[in-house]
Amino acid sequence: MSAPVVFAKQTAPDRLPSHRRAALLRDPAFGTVFTEHMSTVRYREGKGWHDARVEPFGPLPLSPASSVLHYGQEVFEGLKVYRTDGGRAQLFRPDANARRLRRSARRLSMPEVPDGVFLGAVEALFAADRDWLPQEPGSTLYLRPFLIATEVCIGARPAEEYLFCVIATPPGTHFAAGTPAMTVWICDGYTRAAPGGTGAAKCGGNYAAAMAGQAEAAEAGCDQVVFLDAAERAWVEELGGMNIFFVFDDGTLLTPPLTGSVLPGITRDSVLSLARARGYRVAEEPYRRDQWRADAAAGRVREVFACGTAAVVTGIGTVRSPAGEFTVPGPAPGPVTVELRTAVEDIQFGRVEPPENWTHPLR
Ligand SMILES: *Cc1c(COP(=O)(O)O)cnc(C)c1O
């Protein structure tokens, strides 16, 4: 299917009156309220991508023998539509999401969604559900593109039929600016990704693997879990769904390198680029959990933050593990955390001129 892709449109029969939509938009729990439509595109081996549609949001016809339900061929993306200060709607680096989805799909032996299909599905959904992005500058609408194996076959091999779908959910105050610094749990017992595994692919299986660690974190009264490397359990990798940065007293920023078990976050990449442009020295280097504790005690680590599309840039204050607790000194979020969050959001909300191709207007 060559771009531009035409999405056949079937409008939801009973559109929500605006006051009902406004009520649903009033602080929904994240990921529980969905807009009225979804984009869907099918793939079959030999036929390729076909049957692009925008249709009413609703249950998918899915055989209980669909291979995704048995062998987990599922990959996804997460991106937002941003309402700018000027009242426009725009995406932030959607080409990077499209590229990452292709890489994730390749790792799970799934067909790559062409970039034109990815962007076309996002644009078609937004065109149908634009009313779900409030007019107030600073509003966002979270988009969840995903790809699943739908072939009716429980033979253990890559499926030959797939569905690509995009749904949208209003994020409410999930990780809104002013979110207090997080308390994190360093997980010793479980890892999320191993060398040669799927850690760099954005797939549901990684999240399933991370949930035991996240549950342990919640039990210890923590907001998020920090995973260590699988081989030595010594090196900090990332959170369950966010990358991590350390800010040192000499002004250096450090984040673990992309060695295959860390998800290549688009926010991570944007923070690295913006920090460099602002004159920070940035390092993509391995960092030991004991070094973190020692550097925090010595006052060398001044700030720690997590980043991702949902959290943007959110400070980490307290670190717990079975071995005890320590805090990152100083107020959190610290000045560098705030500076970089602002730098990212200024671009997302159209307050400053973006680097080339970082924003994509929606009509
Ligand atoms: C999606 C994700 C991130 C953040 O990626 P962004 O592109 O910045 O949203 C980080 N870690 C994991 C495990 C993820 O799934």
Side-chain angles (χ1 to χ4, degrees), residues 82-121:
Y82 300 87
R83 179 71 74 194
T84 68
D85 283 11
R88 290 171 292 116
Q90 65 181 18
L91 300 170
F92 178 69
R93 306 187 67 184
D95 54 319
N97 294 98
R99 192 178 327 122
R100 186 171 63 190
L101 185 71
R102 283 194 279 104
R103 291 202 181 127
S104 299
R106 214 179 306 148
R107 177 64 185 82
L108 273 79
S109 302
M110 303 167 79
E112 296 179 30
V113 177
D115 292 4
V117 171
F118 180 92
L119 198 59

Side-chain angles (χ1 to χ4, degrees), residues 20-273:
R20 291 258 334 268
R21 188 166 51 244
L24 286 169
L25 283 169
R26 225 166 285 133
D27 202 17
F30 179 72
T32 61
V33 170
F34 296 90
T35 65
E36 292 157 274
H37 296 87
M38 59 186 184
S39 294
T40 57
V41 192
R42 305 268 165 183
Y43 177 91
R44 188 177 330 125
E45 208 57 46
K47 179 164 186 184
W49 294 96
H50 61 279
D51 203 12
R53 302 167 179 270
V54 172
E55 54 192 304
F57 179 94
L60 300 168
L62 204 62
S63 163
S66 291
S67 56
V68 62
L69 301 175
H70 303 272
Y71 306 121
Q73 277 187 298
E74 188 267 1
V75 294
F76 69 94
E77 272 304 321
L79 71 166
K80 287 174 175 171
V81 187
Y82 300 87
R83 179 71 74 194
T84 68
D85 283 11
R88 290 171 292 116
Q90 65 181 18
L91 300 170
F92 178 69
R93 306 187 67 184
D95 54 319
N97 294 98
R99 192 178 327 122
R100 186 171 63 190
L101 185 71
R102 283 194 279 104
R103 291 202 181 127
S104 299
R106 214 179 306 148
R107 177 64 185 82
L108 273 79
S109 302
M110 303 167 79
E112 296 179 30
V113 177
D115 292 4
V117 171
F118 180 92
L119 198 59
V122 164
E123 289 179 333
L125 176 59
F126 184 70
D129 284 339
R130 57 191 326 119
D131 292 348
W132 286 83
L133 177 67
Q135 291 298 327
E136 290 78 53
S139 302
T140 62
L141 182 63
Y142 184 87
L143 305 177
R144 169 53 59 86
F146 63 98
L147 175 65
I148 57 172
T150 50
E151 187 186 355
V152 179
C153 176
I154 59 167
R157 57 157 174 77
E160 297 188 345
E161 285 174 31
Y162 294 86
L163 169 71
F164 174 58
C165 183
V166 187
I167 54 177
T169 178
T173 56
H174 189 59
F175 283 115
T179 298
M182 297 187 287
T183 296
V184 296
W185 173 253
I186 298 188
C187 185
D188 274 313
Y190 304 107
T191 58
R192 71 173 276 284
T198 58
K202 205 168 177 75
C203 63
N206 290 342
Y207 278 72
M211 279 179 191
Q214 182 62 40
E216 207 179 77
E219 223 160 275
C222 299
D223 302 302
Q224 292 286 334
V225 56
V226 173
F227 286 106
L228 302 172
D229 75 292
E232 295 178 55
R233 311 279 169 98
W235 305 93
V236 176
E237 293 211 316
E238 65 168 310
L239 279 60
M242 292 174 237
N243 296 110
I244 191 166
F245 278 79
F246 301 87
V247 182
F248 295 93
D249 57 353
D250 64 356
T252 303
L253 267 77
L254 180 149
T255 191
L258 302 177
T259 51
S261 49
V262 170
L263 196 288
I266 295 162
T267 318
R268 173 190 181 280
D269 184 72
S270 306
V271 165
L272 282 172
S273 160

